[in-house]
DNA sequence: CTGAAAGCGCTAACAA
DNA sequence: TTGTTAGCGCTTTCAG
């Protein structure tokens, strides 16, 4: 007896509040929803009753009945990566004023559960989902998981009908970064790649295109878009000949991994090794880090994606937003050859 | 006509799946919940029907009916702060194997909506809540917002009956940090304070106690527990006499703000200024940053808190967990006086 | 395995 | 303003 939910005390319901306040259930509903006209004294009565009883509305029931949750879901990959914080900031600025709440669903990167993340949000029937998690190259998976929930991807393009996307021009970003390194005099420039996504493919492509323009050969090492991934890839790179003298990394997280390893090996940045990241996260600018990084304007992307999503929620037939922001290379010490 | 939810297509229900598969609704429910015995062929039938129809269970309805969500809520303050990522990692390691999902509710720090964050989780009827947000000194607010939802606070003690807490020994941490700075020869040691919480009060107390032991006077400047707060406080500190030569900061985020400002003013760390943070977040260890920081073992705290919470969910009468972890000072370059 | 019935706590529409 | 009546999509229990 009593294995689960042993002592679960039945929670206070609207009916309880109504009785306590001596009014009808509907009246309570009205004041809770802050809708329609309620006489001040009655409202007062209800509010007091709610406080006495410690009433908390059951959003589950409310949402189920209303078929609407006033909540936006954000699916992300790794809480450690600061880009997501930038995204979230931008998103909140847009949705909070519009009366929406934000719910974040996180994957542990090991569990590769991108799908789960979105599905759990869909299950909760959030009004819309912002997908900032890596979904591999397989957009179909995303579409399936979404099951018609309005969605906009962030950073990554979705190439599925009916899904919006606010992305950066990643191939341009890759090209800018690589050209910068070439201009600094590097010939052996490595790309630290991440899992197979459009973002990765595009950054890679930009890198290649810059190399080709200058007749240089590519050197690619794969990690997993995290600091640990950067370390792995770096260690690999150090065993090869010719050894790279410059690293263009898939993102800042990866670059931080590279920086750490470089120090462990006694390599100085930028004297012995130039490093460029992507995302221009806050830590990239910390004194002493000074990581050159491609800024894809994550904050702005968050805002735009949120706007696009709200648009789509209001009108399912609104035109599909497919914006792309131009990236900007922020040059710091980590990549500048001293003279 | 049609202002909201204009094109909202009715979503696929269990009944639809049952009809499609030619079985009863209960059978569908069984396979969805993965409960009881279902004949393999029948299961196959159902699964296929679900895929054909793109069925996604309505978790709202399921949770409402089952009075259980298999979800743990995490209330946090600021996605930018890496401690929360550490917390989350530890939490996930414990709850995922136990079959729980994690939902994160974030506040924008400006909106001071600690309460909202918890309330929105309570509304969703998550099975338990981990509170890692700053709740001011007012535990009553928390209790009210929780409305009997099992909860454990992370980092902060709750001093409310019925709320568990896994915290660090913050006054010890403050003392360790300050004593270290004293040992480095500093006399003017500032504390960069954060909003009124137990954590802040305790770290402050530890700082004071160390100062008193050595007959030093306190210098306190207040920020808001973020990078921006650190900057504000630092600027303030720079206008006072005597000017501090060392800073013990409420947390790493604050410390990063201080480090940035210091550089802007051309002050070298640690030559002109020693800095110590709290939390020992990942960026503190980045090459070039090398921030001395008190490690409160956030990852472990996350695990313990999750365990305590699960315990409490299983049995409402389980003894209240009130653990405190001993912090450890991780000394790096930022605080060591060169000789 | 199926069918029937009750209920979770709320919203929504309408009549009184 | 208040009742009344439905119903949201699912779980749970019990009999068959």
């Amino acid at each position: 007896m009593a294995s689960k939910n042993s002592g679960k005390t039945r929670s206070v319901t609207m009916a309880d509040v109504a009785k306590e306040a001596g009014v009808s259930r509907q009246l309570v509903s009205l004041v809770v929803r802050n809708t329609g006209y309620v006489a001040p004294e009655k409202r007062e009565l209800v509010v007091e009753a709610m406080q006495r009883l410690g009433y908390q509305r059951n959003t589950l029931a409310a949402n189920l009945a209303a078929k609407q949750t006033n909540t936006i879901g954000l699916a992300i990959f790794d809480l450690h990566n600061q880009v997501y914080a930038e995204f979230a900031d931008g998103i909140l600025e847009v949705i909070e004023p519009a009366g929406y709440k934000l719910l974040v669903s996180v994957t542990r990167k090991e569990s590769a559960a991108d799908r789960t993340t979105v599905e759990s949000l869909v299950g909760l029937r959030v009004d819309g989902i912002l997908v900032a998690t890596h979904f591999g190259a397989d957009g179909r998976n995303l579409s399936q998981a979404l099951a018609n929930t309005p969605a906009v991807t962030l950073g990554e393009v979705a190439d599925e009908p009916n899904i919006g996307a606010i992305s950066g021009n990643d191939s341009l970003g890759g090209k800018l970064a690589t050209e910068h390194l070439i201009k600094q005099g590097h010939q052996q420039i490595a790309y630290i790649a991440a899992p197979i996504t459009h973002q990765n493919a595009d950054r890679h492509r930009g890198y290649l295109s810059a190399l080709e323009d200058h007749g240089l050969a590519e050197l690619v090492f794969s990690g997993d878009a995290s600091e640990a991934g950067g370390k792995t890839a770096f260690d690999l790179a150090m065993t090869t000949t010719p050894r790279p003298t410059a690293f263009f990394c898939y993102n800042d997280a990866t670059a931080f991994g590279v920086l750490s390893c470089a120090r462990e090996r006694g390599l100085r940045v930028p004297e012995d090794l130039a490093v460029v990241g992507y995302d221009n996260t806050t830590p990239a600018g910390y004194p002493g880090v000074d990581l050159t990084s491609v800024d894809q304007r994550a904050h702005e992307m968050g805002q735009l994606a949120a706007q696009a999503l709200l648009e789509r929620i209001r009108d399912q037939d609104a035109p599909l937003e497919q914006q792309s922001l131009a990236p900007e290379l922020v040059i710091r010490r980590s990549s500048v050859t001293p003279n």
Side-chain angles (χ1 to χ4, degrees), chain A:
Chain A
M1 52 189 91
S3 64
K4 276 192 167 183
N5 279 356
S6 46
K8 196 97 175 183
T9 41
R10 199 184 67 79
S11 49
V12 185
T13 75
M14 276 195 169
D16 300 327
V17 175
K19 197 193 297 175
E20 171 83 11
V23 301
S24 71
R25 245 234 325 246
Q26 295 56 249
L27 220 218
V28 177
S29 180
L30 286 183
V31 348
V32 165
R33 280 179 295 156
N34 206 8
T35 303
Y37 175 77
V38 180
E41 322 94 53
K42 294 277 184 182
R43 158 166 281 125
E44 184 72 7
L45 236 45
V46 172
V47 170
E48 278 169 5
M50 294 200 309
Q51 279 173 347
R52 267 200 301 278
L53 269 41
Y55 173 75
Q56 286 279 357
R57 174 154 64 149
N58 186 329
T59 314
L60 249 37
N63 290 344
L64 178 60
K67 289 173 154 297
Q68 190 180 342
T69 60
N70 294 312
T71 299
I72 299 295
L74 173 62
I76 67 179
F77 181 64
D78 174 10
L79 231 35
H80 286 275
N81 193 330
Q82 295 251 11
V83 214
Y84 299 123
E86 299 294 336
F87 284 159
D89 282 348
I91 293 165
L92 283 170
E93 282 168 21
V94 172
I95 69 170
E96 278 192 345
Y100 286 87
K101 298 201 201 97
L102 185 68
L103 231 40
V104 184
S105 183
V106 198
T107 314
R108 281 201 298 166
K109 51 181 180 311
E110 309 86 38
S111 63
D114 348 308
R115 230 196 122 117
T116 315
T117 263
V118 169
E119 278 173 355
S120 99
L121 254 12
V122 171
L124 286 170
R125 294 299 188 266
V126 294
D127 294 338
I129 297 186
L130 260 8
V131 184
T133 191
H134 302 284
F135 241 88
D138 193 354
R140 288 202 54 76
N141 267 326
L142 217 200
S143 274
Q144 270 174 17
L146 284 172
N148 289 319
T149 310
V152 174
T153 58
L154 253 163
E156 185 82 359
V157 296
D159 60 22
E160 273 288 292
N162 227 24
I163 300 181
I166 307 293
S167 58
N169 187 333
D170 290 290
S171 63
L172 176 54
K175 186 156 188 172
L176 287 175
T178 311
E179 275 174 349
H180 163 70
L181 287 170
I182 294 172
K183 221 171 279 165
Q184 297 297 312
H186 292 280
Q187 303 268 324
Q188 321 295 345
I189 304 174
Y191 174 58
I192 305 286
I196 307 162
T197 60
H198 287 290
Q199 265 190 349
N200 176 66
D202 288 350
R203 289 172 195 179
H204 189 175
R205 183 171 322 124
Y207 156 84
L208 279 182
S209 127
L211 289 186
E212 276 167 16
D213 289 354
H214 296 264
L216 298 175
E218 71 169 323
L219 298 167
V220 179
F221 305 92
S222 290
D224 72 353
S226 73
E227 232 178 289
K231 293 185 179 181
T232 313
F234 181 80
D235 283 341
L236 209 68
M238 286 296 106
T239 67
T240 62
T241 329
R243 249 166 61 165
T245 61
F247 285 84
F248 166 44
C249 305
Y250 171 73
N251 64 7
D252 282 359
T254 314
F256 294 137
V258 167
L259 290 176
S260 294
C261 275
R263 171 155 78 174
E264 277 168 23
R265 291 172 179 260
L267 296 171
R268 292 163 307 163
V269 173
E271 291 81 356
D272 305 323
L273 211 66
V275 180
V276 174
Y278 210 113
D279 287 344
N280 193 27
T281 54
T282 319
Y286 287 166
V289 176
D290 299 312
L291 175 66
T292 295
S293 189
V294 180
D295 192 341
Q296 56 172 334
R297 292 149 68 193
H299 187 104
E300 205 174 333
M301 283 174 61
Q303 294 179 321
L304 289 172
Q307 276 156 6
L309 184 61
L310 291 188
E311 202 56 50
R312 198 142 187 80
I313 290 173
R314 280 192 208 99
D315 177 8
Q316 302 269 336
D317 305 317
L320 209 56
E321 203 70 55
Q322 286 279 11
Q323 271 192 66
S324 169
L325 297 191
E328 192 183 331
L329 182 68
V330 178
I331 299 174
R332 299 202 182 87
R333 191 169 171 281
S334 74
S335 65
V336 177
T337 307
N339 42 15

